[in-house]
């Protein structure tokens, strides 16, 4: 009953935070993302800062501002937390950034990965929509230094191969 009666403004500011859901995401998606040159490990997903702002009324928290910072990405979003049922419903986005140290990821900077977090607070379900992000990373890689499609056309001598491959892959 006490949780259902919560009302007011909440601001949370965490430093050097680890979220179990992010560690699970690293284990699940790390091998796939390493293919496009993005080294994802639990350490690269650790948050140096996580700020959350919410308005609560009747135990329902309207999360209006999520701002997280990690070495490889920035996290933003909004959603709800129901204190009575201890459930979450969040729409987040992780935007890749170029880390100050480590691998050169400039070509991947700015790619956005939508993340949906739902379910119980104790064991939330985290779904990341990686397909558009991986496609964008591949497009940038193929169009990057040396343009792989053009190189293939030049190497094979097949006129129009570059355009055909771009159409095939939707680039």
């Amino acid at each position: 009953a006490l949780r259902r009666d919560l009302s007011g403004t909440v601001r949370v500011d965490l430093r050097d935070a680890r979220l179990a859901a992010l560690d699970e995401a690293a284990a699940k998606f790390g091998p796939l993302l390493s293919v496009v040159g993005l080294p994802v490990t639990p350490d690269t997903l650790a948050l140096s800062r996580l700020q959350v702002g919410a308005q609560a009324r009747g135990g329902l928290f309207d999360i209006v501002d999520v701002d997280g910072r990690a070495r490889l990405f920035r996290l933003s979003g909004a959603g709800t937390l129901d204190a009575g049922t201890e459930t979450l419903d969040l729409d987040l986005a992780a935007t890749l950034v170029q880390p100050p140290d480590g691998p050169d990821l400039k070509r991947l900077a700015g790619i956005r990965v939508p993340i949906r977090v739902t379910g119980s607070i104790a064991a939330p379900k985290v779904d990341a929509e990686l397909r558009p992000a991986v496609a964008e990373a591949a497009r940038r890689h193929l169009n990057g230094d040396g343009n792989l499609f053009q190189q293939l056309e030049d190497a094979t001598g097949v006129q129009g191969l570059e355009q055909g491959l771009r159409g095939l892959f939707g680039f």
Side-chain angles (χ1 to χ4, degrees), residues 156-168:
T156 62
V158 177
Q159 295 297 313
L161 180 61
E162 175 185 7
Q163 205 55 31
L165 288 172
R166 286 184 185 284
L168 178 66

Side-chain angles (χ1 to χ4, degrees), residues 5-30:
D5 207 24
L6 293 171
S7 294
T9 301
V10 176
R11 186 87 186 145
V12 177
D13 189 358
L14 300 174
R15 303 288 176 182
D16 301 321
R18 293 292 294 252
L19 299 176
L22 290 178
D23 289 346
E24 291 172 23
K28 185 176 180 180
F29 300 116

Side-chain angles (χ1 to χ4, degrees), residues 12-23 41-52 66-71 73 75:
V12 177
D13 189 358
L14 300 174
R15 303 288 176 182
D16 301 321
R18 293 292 294 252
L19 299 176
L22 290 178
D23 289 346
T41 67
D43 287 338
T44 60
L45 297 182
L47 296 165
S48 60
R49 182 181 89 204
L50 176 61
Q51 295 177 321
V52 179
V66 174
D67 182 16
R69 306 291 169 153
R71 187 169 161 255
F73 67 93
L75 187 66

Side-chain angles (χ1 to χ4, degrees), residues 107-130:
R107 191 179 295 155
L108 300 178
I111 293 178
R112 190 173 177 270
V113 178
I115 301 169
R116 184 104 168 101
V117 181
T118 57
S120 75
I121 294 170
K125 181 180 176 191
V126 179
D127 289 313
E129 181 53 53
L130 291 177

